[in-house]
Amino acid sequence: MESKKLAALLSSLISQLLLLLLLIFPSSNSFDSNTNSYANLFPLLHHFLSSQEISAFLSLFTFSRKRKRTYFSELDSESTHEDGDHEHGPRLSEWDRVTRNPDSYKTFFRMSSSTFEWLSGLLEPLLECRDPIGSPLNLSAELRLGIGLFRLATGSNYSHIAGRFGVTESVTRFCAKQLCRVLCTNFRFWVAFPSPAELQLVSKDFETLTGLPNCCGVIGCARFELDGKNDCKLASDDKDQDDRIAVQIVVDSSSRILSVIAGFRGDKGNCRILKSTTLYKDIEEGRLLNSSPVIFNGVAINQYLIGGKGYPLLPWLMVPFVDALPGSYEEVFNTANNLMRVSAFRTVASLKNWGVLCKPIEEELKTAVAFIGACSILHNALLMREDDSALLDVGDYSLYDQGPQCCDADLEETLIERKASDIRIALATRVKEFQKS
């Protein structure tokens, strides 16, 4: 079997398996990368999907293909437009200059030229396999990817992109949405909650950073502006709601996204968002963060996440102390908490560095969620490639939107919080000892 067909077959198989799982376990319209909820039923499949080995395997085929690549400079008057317009377009002399200058890829595509070529080869069978019915585009995978990435990276409107690439506006819309569809359907395993073995490595990195043991990630919530003029509002009875979409993420110490769930109203608090997600349900029911605890000072410390003040204190979710006194162990813990959450701050800042997300998203809600999901997947792909083109350092933590404070707890939650408080005190003591050593 030809390598190109084999790569397409493997990608198609992944897509069908994911679709089958989604049909068996339906979720909301939100983009939810927390695939580990299926792990208990399909452990082998989950390991297959959560591993990055398959992406490397597919990339071998894309690098070894012997074919003639069609670059932007070759796509001139021979291009056929989606809407039947066969009028010859201008040669893409401007894009000739772009493709000949490796540094320009970071500006226009938020990635290096080598990453662009790698991604183009990896996605080619999927980008070229579906054209609008009755209107073949006759565009190479490189051009399709370039148009889609330019939309995500710069946030330019479709008419501007059409002029830059020498195609019609309808073609630019198709290419941008097709790229998001391919990424969110076939490569969402690039954003997957780690297996128990992988979580051990995540915890080790956090412990090296602050001395806190058994931490499996940092949870946070980002909010992106929506353009209300484009039917991009979320359902709500509140006529005065803000035009924002909330996105919950979990990251490791390297800012790799472990879970992303998008599609919530922006005025909804972090606490309420968390409790309405599959991630919360999976942890509460013991399907995630269920490895053996670490014992410290007689306290069993189970696997947990680190969060900010917008989240509740739970046995598996450690948040800062309120009104910690200077020099106290509470303040020491809060400092460690802030240090660990820098990875989440950096992830949110990097996502908002994509041009389409740094301003009000001019799309319908479903497409806006797909854009967020696609940028999250690309974020992890860049980290996997050790490509820092779209990554940002955070200078001002106040820019990170924590959302409203968590609501008051009921009696049952108070009892749970007491257990969580004992764990947090033990962890705070551990941090202080770590700093002394």
Side-chain angles (χ1 to χ4, degrees):
M1 183 181 294
E2 296 179 1
S3 60
K4 177 178 178 179
K5 293 181 179 180
L6 180 58
L9 177 61
L10 290 172
S11 298
S12 177
L13 177 61
I14 295 171
S15 176
Q16 292 178 30
L17 290 173
L18 284 171
L19 180 60
L20 177 61
L21 289 176
L22 292 175
L23 290 174
I24 297 175
F25 301 97
S27 59
S28 64
N29 292 330
S30 303
F31 178 85
D32 187 344
S33 71
N34 182 24
T35 60
N36 204 63
S37 59
Y38 312 134
N40 291 340
L41 294 177
F42 303 98
L44 294 179
L45 175 61
H46 177 260
H47 174 74
F48 177 72
L49 294 178
S50 64
S51 173
Q52 294 179 351
E53 294 177 359
I54 186 173
S55 60
F57 177 69
L58 287 173
S59 66
L60 293 178
F61 291 101
T62 62
F63 282 127
S64 62
R65 287 196 311 272
K66 295 181 179 179
R67 64 181 180 84
K68 179 179 180 295
R69 284 196 177 277
T70 305
Y71 291 93
F72 300 137
S73 58
E74 297 172 344
L75 294 163
D76 47 9
S77 60
E78 296 180 1
S79 298
T80 303
H81 300 316
E82 173 191 1
D83 58 3
D85 181 9
H86 299 281
E87 181 180 351
H88 290 176
R91 287 189 61 85
L92 305 178
S93 57
E94 180 178 0
W95 287 101
D96 287 340
R97 293 192 295 272
V98 169
T99 56
R100 290 169 185 168
N101 180 9
D103 293 335
S104 63
Y105 280 80
K106 294 185 178 182
T107 301
F108 295 112
F109 305 129
R110 289 291 189 269
M111 61 183 59
S112 66
S113 58
S114 61
T115 298
F116 182 95
E117 287 297 316
W118 168 79
L119 190 61
S120 175
L122 193 62
L123 302 185
E124 179 188 20
L126 298 167
L127 291 178
E128 293 183 343
C129 69
R130 293 181 181 177
D131 282 352
I133 299 176
S135 303
L137 300 187
N138 192 27
L139 301 178
S140 69
E142 288 91 343
L143 184 55
R144 294 168 189 251
L145 178 62
I147 292 173
L149 284 178
F150 192 89
R151 169 65 173 150
L152 296 178
T154 68
S156 300
N157 60 47
Y158 291 114
S159 60
H160 174 75
I161 299 173
R164 299 286 296 264
F165 281 86
V167 296
T168 64
E169 185 174 336
S170 55
V171 167
T172 65
R173 289 182 180 274
F174 176 83
C175 289
K177 294 182 179 181
Q178 184 191 39
L179 174 60
C180 293
R181 181 168 58 249
V182 166
L183 289 173
C184 293
T185 301
N186 298 81
F187 293 91
R188 64 187 301 166
F189 63 90
W190 279 348
V191 179
F193 206 81
S195 65
E198 292 170 331
L199 278 179
Q200 295 296 326
L201 298 177
V202 173
S203 298
K204 184 178 179 180
D205 289 338
F206 277 119
E207 186 170 5
T208 301
L209 181 65
T210 64
L212 288 176
N214 237 12
C215 177
C216 295
V218 177
I219 189 170
C221 197
R223 287 164 175 80
F224 299 88
E225 298 292 331
L226 301 176
D227 188 342
K229 299 178 182 179
N230 289 273
D231 191 27
C232 197
K233 286 181 175 292
L234 292 133
S236 174
D237 295 332
D238 185 2
K239 296 181 181 181
D240 298 324
Q241 75 162 75
D242 55 358
D243 293 329
R244 296 185 300 168
I245 182 171
V247 181
Q248 177 183 283
I249 63 170
V250 177
V251 305
D252 66 11
S253 61
S254 68
S255 294
R256 176 171 62 108
I257 299 175
L258 309 180
S259 171
V260 56
I261 308 175
F264 303 98
R265 297 202 316 267
D267 57 354
K268 197 173 183 180
N270 295 358
C271 181
R272 292 181 59 195
I273 290 174
L274 170 65
K275 292 185 177 181
S276 63
T277 63
T278 56
L279 177 69
Y280 180 86
K281 183 178 181 181
D282 288 339
I283 298 176
E284 285 288 308
E285 296 180 359
R287 288 188 289 271
L288 290 179
L289 305 185
N290 53 8
S291 295
S292 301
V294 173
I295 307 300
F296 183 77
N297 284 351
V299 178
I301 301 174
N302 292 305
Q303 292 180 315
Y304 59 91
L305 303 177
I306 285 288
K309 295 179 179 179
Y311 289 100
L313 176 64
L314 299 169
W316 54 266
L317 180 52
M318 296 291 105
V319 300
F321 288 93
V322 178
D323 300 327
L325 298 176
S328 64
Y329 68 86
E330 292 95 341
E331 184 188 48
V332 172
F333 176 85
N334 287 356
T335 300
N337 179 287
N338 288 334
L339 180 60
M340 296 168 81
R341 286 193 291 133
V342 168
S343 59
F345 302 154
R346 188 185 188 204
T347 300
V348 172
S350 297
L351 288 178
K352 292 188 175 183
N353 191 36
W354 289 87
V356 75
L357 302 183
C358 71
K359 60 183 180 180
I361 305 173
E362 299 177 348
E363 296 284 355
E364 61 180 0
L365 177 60
K366 183 178 179 180
T367 303
V369 171
F371 280 178
I372 294 170
C375 289
S376 299
I377 292 170
L378 289 171
H379 171 88
N380 277 7
L382 291 173
L383 287 177
M384 183 173 62
R385 291 276 301 175
E386 298 183 351
D387 185 344
D388 62 356
S389 302
L391 300 179
L392 290 182
D393 289 324
V394 180
D396 186 359
Y397 293 168
S398 65
L399 297 177
Y400 183 72
D401 186 6
Q402 290 291 338
Q405 294 291 314
C406 192
C407 54
D408 294 333
D410 56 24
L411 177 60
E412 181 181 0
E413 289 175 330
T414 301
L415 295 176
I416 294 175
E417 186 173 302
R418 289 175 184 172
K419 178 182 178 181
S421 179
D422 292 338
I423 296 175
R424 184 170 60 174
I425 292 173
L427 288 172
T429 304
R430 175 69 183 94
V431 174
K432 199 159 188 177
E433 291 182 0
F434 176 80
Q435 289 187 349
K436 290 180 180 180
S437 62

